[in-house]
Amino acid sequence: MRWLALIGQTVALVVVYFGLDLALPLIPAMAVVLLSGAVNVAVSVARPSSAWLGEREAAAMLAFDLVQLALLLGLTGGLGNPFSLFLVAPVAVASWALDRRYVLAVAGLAMILVTVLAYVFLPLPGGAGMLTGSPPYFAALWVALVIAVGFIAMYGGMTAREAATLSKANAAMQLALAREQKAAALGALAAAAAHELGSPLSTIAVVARELERRLAEDSDLREDLTLLRSESARCQEILSRIAIRPADAELAPEPVPFTALLEETAGNFESEKTPIEIRALPLEERGEDPPSVEASAGLLQGLAMLVQNAVQFADHEIVLTLDWEGERITLLVEDDGPGFDLASRSRLGEPFYSSRPRGGDETHLGLGLFIARTLLGACGARLTFGNRARGGAVVEVVWPQGIEPSMVAQVKTEATG
């Protein structure tokens, strides 16, 4: 929206200066416009469009727009300029999107600027005649009103569409999170069942052994009892594996090694076509134990979305590289697929958007990275998307202060707030 405003300001200055041949301070006015353009370029480079602004940052952006417009108006007639109506636009945006205290701050700044412009400004070209009903003035006022109405209508339509898109994406994310929570609960139930079934199976094995010992060597039942004991032992082995799976980490009071979560996640997606290699660099290089984390459905589902996205596009290789130093934890998810279209990198992570060819999976909706970014971001992670030098995509996930499970539990509220 700011780019559209800058284009409109430039066109207005050029038309008035060259088309109407009125003596505006063109160089200072264009300097103000170019300054705003430079700020917009800097913001676009520093923050991709898929990144979410906090309310304080958004209020600062709107305050900058107000000051920039006020400076331009001060050079071109102050409140006598019909385009002074646009001072309302940032306040309208703030009232829709921000908390009350930030709305009051933006509105208060607008009132201060309006008051200053009533007394401090360079007069409009043509003197007082421009204010006494001349056609150019009323034509400019008509243009200002039309553009203002169009801005409000366009902004309302954009926000309505974005709200609908985010609502659908958040519904899909909550469905995935609920599925992971059910899987975690099922894992806890399986572990409890394994524990409870262990005693009856041990009893069966003991009874079978005693019966086998009492039978004659040539008895026809001896082979059956041997088979019964071996199958009982096999059941106990299966149940013991279920009991130690980290699927019940959601309910476990003690933390689990991060590598165990990666192994659990990779095991759900690994196949002969796309083997998944897990590397823990400090463990391999210095023998350091991996960090332990309190797993949750949000964390597991976020990791699963990254691995699933890699599996969908990989040709033959997926590598999960875990590194840590102090509280900082870094995870690289790499694949040897077509990679990301870096020309649209700023949109990666937006709901229902994918920059990579779909391949054979036509049901791909472009929600994986959005869900991963939301769930992992809720526990303190920052995601960066890029491509490997030797081909393929890489997603870097960094927890600068470690993983905070308490924040993951709030993801439903934050995603829909």
Side-chain angles (χ1 to χ4, degrees):
M1 298 300 291
R2 184 181 288 137
W3 283 122
L4 292 178
L6 295 180
I7 292 172
Q9 292 168 2
T10 302
V11 170
L13 290 172
V14 170
V15 168
V16 171
Y17 188 83
F18 294 102
L20 300 180
D21 198 23
L22 297 176
L24 285 175
L26 184 64
I27 294 178
M30 287 303 300
V32 174
V33 174
L34 291 176
L35 173 63
S36 185
V39 170
N40 220 32
V41 170
V43 171
S44 299
V45 171
R47 298 184 66 94
S49 63
S50 60
W52 295 331
L53 286 176
E55 290 202 350
R56 180 179 299 179
E57 294 171 300
M61 293 283 188
L62 294 173
F64 173 82
D65 290 337
L66 277 172
V67 173
Q68 188 264 353
L69 182 57
L71 287 174
L72 204 56
L73 291 172
L75 294 171
T76 56
L79 297 184
N81 188 323
F83 290 95
S84 60
L85 177 66
F86 282 103
L87 288 169
V88 176
V91 181
V93 174
S95 65
W96 181 86
L98 302 183
D99 185 71
R100 181 177 298 176
R101 65 181 184 276
Y102 292 109
V103 174
L104 293 177
V106 173
L109 177 61
M111 292 177 185
I112 293 172
L113 293 174
V114 167
T115 304
V116 171
L117 287 173
Y119 299 98
V120 182
F121 59 90
L122 295 180
L124 280 169
M130 292 291 291
L131 301 176
T132 58
S134 64
Y137 179 83
F138 282 106
L141 183 60
W142 179 83
V143 171
L145 288 171
V146 169
I147 295 177
V149 171
F151 167 82
I152 294 173
M154 182 168 59
Y155 182 78
M158 287 174 59
T159 52
R161 287 192 298 272
E162 290 182 3
T165 300
L166 282 175
S167 177
K168 293 178 182 178
N170 283 326
M173 181 188 65
Q174 291 180 15
L175 179 63
L177 186 59
R179 187 181 298 116
E180 181 61 38
Q181 288 172 330
K182 289 180 180 179
L186 183 61
L189 180 61
H195 177 73
E196 294 296 328
L197 290 173
S199 295
L201 285 171
S202 298
T203 303
I204 292 173
V206 170
V207 172
R209 189 182 303 111
E210 289 297 322
L211 290 175
E212 185 180 2
R213 189 163 44 181
R214 295 181 182 182
L215 288 175
E217 291 293 335
D218 57 349
S219 175
D220 295 336
L221 296 177
R222 179 174 292 276
E223 185 177 348
D224 294 335
L225 288 173
T226 301
L227 177 61
L228 179 62
R229 284 201 304 114
S230 65
E231 291 300 307
S232 175
R234 182 184 172 194
C235 288
Q236 286 182 316
E237 182 183 353
I238 293 172
L239 291 176
S240 65
R241 288 203 303 268
I242 293 175
I244 63 174
R245 284 169 64 91
D248 60 338
E250 178 73 25
L251 303 178
E254 69 279 356
V256 296
F258 202 151
T259 50
L261 297 185
L262 294 180
E263 290 170 0
E264 174 71 12
T265 303
N268 293 330
F269 298 99
E270 191 171 25
S271 64
E272 293 183 2
K273 175 182 176 294
T274 54
I276 301 177
E277 178 186 356
I278 299 176
R279 300 191 60 196
L281 296 183
L283 180 62
E284 297 174 3
E285 298 171 357
R286 301 185 297 274
E288 295 181 6
D289 292 334
S292 295
V293 297
E294 294 182 13
S296 67
L299 179 59
L300 289 170
Q301 186 63 30
L303 295 174
M305 288 294 100
L306 290 182
V307 175
Q308 182 183 38
N309 184 75
V311 169
Q312 286 177 332
F313 297 102
D315 290 332
H316 307 290
E317 177 190 34
I318 297 173
V319 181
L320 307 182
T321 305
L322 182 64
D323 195 4
W324 62 88
E325 183 176 359
E327 293 185 345
R328 182 184 178 90
I329 301 174
T330 303
L331 173 65
L332 296 181
V333 181
E334 303 174 83
D335 66 68
D336 61 347
F340 293 116
D341 178 10
L342 297 185
S344 57
R345 180 187 299 188
S346 63
R347 294 196 62 193
L348 294 174
E350 290 185 2
F352 302 106
Y353 176 78
S354 174
S355 73
R356 302 206 278 185
R358 297 194 174 204
D361 185 6
E362 298 300 329
T363 63
H364 178 58
L365 297 177
L367 282 173
L369 295 182
F370 167 77
I371 293 175
R373 191 195 65 176
T374 302
L375 296 179
L376 297 179
C379 60
R382 295 198 304 260
L383 273 67
T384 305
F385 307 100
N387 289 330
R388 304 190 303 178
R390 61 182 183 274
V394 57
V395 180
E396 182 184 47
V397 188
V398 179
W399 289 268
Q401 304 298 325
I403 299 174
E404 303 181 36
S406 59
M407 297 179 66
V408 180
Q410 302 170 7
V411 69
K412 283 189 178 182
T413 303
E414 293 178 357
T416 56

